[in-house]
Each structure stands twice: as C-alpha cells, then as structure tokens.
C-alpha cells in the first residue's frame, strides 16, 4: 500500500515538473515579429453605470478601445453601479497614478473638487460640465446635439401619420433639452400643425420599465413616433414601439438594430470622439484645461443614416420606406442651411434667443 502511494506521488511530482518546465519555457518569437512597444501613457475611464447600455456609456467605451488600438497608451475602464461609487472609483484611479483620468457624467462639484485637490493629475470629462471655468488640469467636452436633433425632427415630422409625436427625455436640464428643443423645432418646421408630447423621467437613466410605460402612455395619446433621450431607460421606449407596432428614434449610439423596422434613425452624440480626443491630446503633448465644444459641423453629432445605416429602409413598412429617399434629400437641404448659418436651431443653453423663445412657447 505504501509502495503504491509512493508510486502515485512520484508520478504526480514528475508531472508537476514537466508542467512547470513547459510553463517556464520562453516563447520564441517569429523572426518577422517585432516586440510590442510598451505604452507611453496610461488612462482610466470611470463610467457612471455599468457597460451595456447600448448608448452613451458604450459609446465612450468605444473611444477607449480606439485609443488602445491606435495610440501608445494603455487605457482601462472602471465600471461603477451608480452615483454612490463615483468618488471612490475616481480616487482609486488617482491613487494608481494614471496619466489621465476620465470621468463620464460625474457630479460637477465632486469631479471639479477632485481636480482642484490633485492639481498634478490630468482629468477629462467626455460629457458636459456646467461651470463658467475649469481648473487648468481639467478639460471638458460639450457635444452640441440641437442641430442633429433638428434633423431628427425633420424626419419625424415628414413621416408621422397621426401628426402627434413624442419625446421621452431623461431629465429636465439644458443638456437634455438640447435634444428635445431642437427636435421639436424640426418637427414643427415641416409639420406646423403637429403636436409634440414630452415626458421627463426624473433623471432615471437605468430603468427600461419606466421608459416602456412612459412611451406606451404617449402612444396611447396618439403619438406614432417617439424620440428617446433617456440612456438605458430609452431601451424601454424602443421596446414599446415594437409592442405597439409603431416607431421610435434612437440616441447617442446607432440603435437602429435594437428593434429592427421600428427604429427609424438614431441621433448620434459621438461620446467615443470626446473620449478619444483628450487621450490623443495627452499623447501629443497638447493637453490644456478648459472647455471644448463640438457638434454637427465637426462631425461629433449626426445621424445613423450618415454612417450608412439602412436598417429601417430594408425592414420598415413599405409605405414609409418609400418616402425615405425624399426625406433624406430634405434632411440634406436643412443640414446645408444650418451649417451655412442661414438657419438657426434653438440651443437650450441659450434659451433667451429668438429661436428658442419661439419653440419653447409652442
């Protein structure tokens, strides 16, 4: 019995030595392969909620992916489960001494307070920060979405059959009303007798059930197309469109394929670009604090159609898809007027302008 046990143990020992030697053997690179260059810079993106929203957060993650693929950097994504974890995650990233810490949709006072507390750390906000000035070690991006949302309104106003359309918006704030006011203006420009419904979700961006129920309420009021501007809650709006065999508009990322044939187009707020851009500034030695505004003109906002999406054209109802070529032509006519300065779209950050006063009053 003892001999058998010793024999088994000896076999295990030999096997362990063989495995260890296999693991320890250095890999011999192919003659044509060059050793991978060590990253020169590091960065971390702290998300406001987990990945998987198929919208704002996932768009920012694509910016990190692009940076890792194209730049001499190693960038990590640190996911959080909500506001209560944001400051801890940011402080953890600072402690790890990343060259750049990016905070997506963080509380302004908290995030800017950290930038002041750690003046030698570079910070970036791919999304809006509402202050008059920033610390010298922080850059923040404003993506102006009112003009691209106007184009969405032109599409919706041209395709509605009931002349009642809707908007489900995450919260009543300038950054979100940029979407809504521009959209409403576009709808009314091509359909002056249209009715535009709006529902705000009290800044609950992670509740698809709330989005679903809210959208169903608007459909019950006669809306046949709804623009969702509500993060993950907006997925409920897209689901409601399918349930009622009606239509919706996606936001932030290309959401045309989430409910194929029911999402007409998506309004793109290219957070992947505002995530990638500050990383590139660090790499190029051009990082400076302050605000950066981008929009339709710079290609930071637009439509899924601009990027070749044809999902609705191929899967939507024939009576609507037959109108798409004409609608696309109309969109380009309005885009030209906007970019040339001939036509002004309401920007919710300047509500006192004539174009805003007019659209808000309607």
């Amino acid at each position: 019995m003892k001999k058998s046990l010793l024999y088994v143990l000896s076999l295990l020992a030999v096997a362990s030595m063989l495995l260890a030697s296999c693991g320890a053997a250095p890999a011999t690179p192919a003659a044509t392969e060059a050793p991978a260059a060590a990253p020169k810079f590091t960065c971390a993106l702290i998300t406001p909620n987990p990945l998987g929203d198929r919208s704002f957060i996932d768009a920012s993650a694509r910016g990190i992916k692009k940076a890792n693929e194209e730049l001499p950097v190693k960038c990590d994504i640190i996911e959080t489960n909500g506001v209560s974890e944001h400051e801890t995650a940011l402080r953890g990233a600072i402690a790890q001494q990343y060259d750049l810490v990016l905070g997506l949709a963080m509380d302004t006072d908290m995030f800017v307070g950290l930038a002041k507390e750690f003046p030698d750390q570079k910070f970036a906000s791919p999304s809006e920060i509402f202050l008059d000035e920033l610390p010298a070690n922080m850059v923040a991006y404003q993506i102006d979405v009112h003009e691209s949302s106007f184009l969405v309104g032109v599409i919706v106003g041209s395709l509605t059959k009931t002349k009642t359309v809707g908007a489900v918006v995450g919260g009543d704030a300038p950054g979100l009303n940029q979407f809504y006011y521009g959209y409403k203006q576009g709808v009314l420009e091509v359909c002056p007798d249209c009715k535009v419904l709006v529902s705000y979700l009290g800044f609950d961006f992670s509740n698809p059930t709330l989005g679903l129920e809210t959208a169903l309420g608007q459909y019950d009021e006669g809306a046949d197309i709804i623009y969702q501007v509500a993060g993950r809650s907006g997925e409920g709006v897209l689901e409601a469109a399918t349930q009622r065999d009606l239509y919706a508009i996606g936001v932030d990322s290309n959401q045309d394929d989430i409910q194929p044939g029911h999402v007409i187009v998506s309004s793109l707020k290219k957070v992947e670009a505002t995530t990638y851009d500050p990383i590139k500034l660090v790499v190029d030695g051009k990082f400076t604090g302050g605000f950066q505004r981008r929009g339709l003109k710079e290609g930071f906002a637009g439509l899924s159609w601009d990027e070749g999406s044809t999902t609705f054209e191929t899967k939507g109802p024939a009576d609507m898809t037959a109108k798409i070529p004409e609608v696309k032509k109309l969109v380009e006519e309005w885009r030209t007027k906007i970019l040339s300065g001939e036509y002004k779209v309401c920007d919710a950050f300047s509500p006192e302008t004539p174009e805003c006063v007019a659209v808000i009053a309607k």
Side-chain angles (χ1 to χ4, degrees):
M1 192 72 178
K2 291 182 178 178
K3 288 183 178 179
S4 298
L5 179 59
L6 288 171
Y7 178 69
V8 171
L9 291 173
S10 64
L11 286 177
L12 289 173
V14 171
S16 298
M17 290 172 64
L18 288 171
L19 288 171
S21 64
C22 288
T28 303
T32 56
E33 290 183 1
K40 294 181 179 179
F41 301 95
T42 59
C43 71
L45 169 71
I46 287 77
T47 68
N49 285 295
L51 295 171
D53 68 338
R54 296 191 281 186
S55 183
F56 183 71
I57 299 171
D58 286 356
S60 189
R62 289 196 297 273
I64 294 295
K65 182 176 184 291
K66 180 180 179 183
N68 281 329
E69 291 175 346
E70 298 182 3
L71 302 174
V73 298
K74 182 183 184 302
C75 293
D76 298 323
I77 297 175
I78 300 172
E79 300 179 56
T80 75
N81 290 300
V83 175
S84 63
E85 299 180 6
H86 291 178
E87 183 171 355
T88 299
L90 285 164
R91 286 188 178 277
I94 295 166
Q96 292 186 59
Q97 298 184 333
Y98 287 98
D99 293 301
L100 177 67
V101 174
L102 300 100
L104 182 66
M106 299 287 111
D107 175 77
T108 295
D109 291 340
M110 179 271 293
F111 197 21
V112 173
L114 287 175
K116 292 177 178 177
E117 183 179 345
F118 298 96
D120 295 327
Q121 170 70 63
K122 293 182 176 67
F123 295 90
S125 176
S127 54
E128 298 85 359
I129 285 184
F130 304 114
L131 287 175
D132 291 331
E133 60 180 342
L134 292 174
N137 58 328
M138 172 177 277
V139 62
Y141 288 78
Q142 164 77 43
I143 302 180
D144 290 322
V145 293
H146 53 302
E147 294 171 343
S148 54
S149 292
F150 177 92
L151 299 180
V152 166
V154 168
I155 294 167
V156 171
S158 300
L159 293 177
T160 179
K161 298 174 185 177
T162 66
K163 292 194 175 182
T164 297
V165 301
V168 174
V169 185
D172 187 358
L176 294 163
N177 281 327
Q178 254 201 340
F179 290 92
Y180 169 55
Y181 293 161
Y183 164 69
K184 181 181 179 182
Q185 185 178 349
V187 169
L188 297 177
E189 191 66 55
V190 297
C191 182
D193 55 342
C194 273
K195 182 179 181 181
V196 184
L197 308 174
V198 62
S199 301
Y200 294 102
L201 301 185
F203 300 98
D204 189 344
F205 293 97
S206 56
N207 191 341
T209 300
L210 176 61
L212 171 70
E213 293 171 349
T214 304
L216 290 175
Q218 290 194 357
Y219 287 132
D220 288 343
E221 289 188 59
D224 59 348
I225 307 172
I226 298 175
Y227 186 19
Q228 75 88 359
V229 187
R232 188 162 176 264
S233 297
E235 290 195 13
V237 178
L238 307 185
E239 171 63 25
T242 299
Q243 286 189 17
R244 291 296 170 83
D245 197 21
L246 290 168
Y247 309 98
I249 305 295
V251 77
D252 292 335
S253 297
N254 183 348
Q255 299 183 322
D256 298 5
D257 292 322
I258 293 179
Q259 300 290 343
H262 295 279
V263 180
I264 296 171
V265 69
S266 296
S267 172
L268 303 183
K269 181 178 182 178
K270 300 184 181 180
V271 186
E272 60 266 38
T274 56
T275 300
Y276 177 87
D277 199 60
I279 302 170
K280 181 81 162 54
L281 291 176
V282 171
V283 170
D284 293 342
K286 298 179 180 179
F287 182 95
T288 56
F291 294 100
Q292 299 282 344
R293 294 191 73 163
R294 304 284 191 274
L296 188 66
K297 181 178 180 180
E298 295 82 13
F300 279 53
L303 305 175
S304 57
W305 288 357
D306 300 341
E307 299 187 345
S309 175
T310 58
T311 301
F312 186 75
E313 287 180 82
T314 57
K315 297 184 181 295
D319 62 332
M320 292 180 74
T321 58
K323 297 179 181 179
I324 297 299
E326 179 184 346
V327 173
K328 285 186 174 181
K329 181 179 178 182
L330 184 62
V331 165
E332 293 313 309
E333 290 173 357
W334 280 106
R335 191 196 304 261
T336 298
K337 291 179 182 179
I338 292 167
L339 294 179
S340 69
E342 177 184 346
Y343 184 85
K344 298 293 184 183
V345 178
C346 169
D347 180 351
F349 288 101
S350 302
E352 72 287 348
T353 58
E355 57 269 18
C356 280
V357 171
V359 75
I360 293 170
K362 292 181 181 178

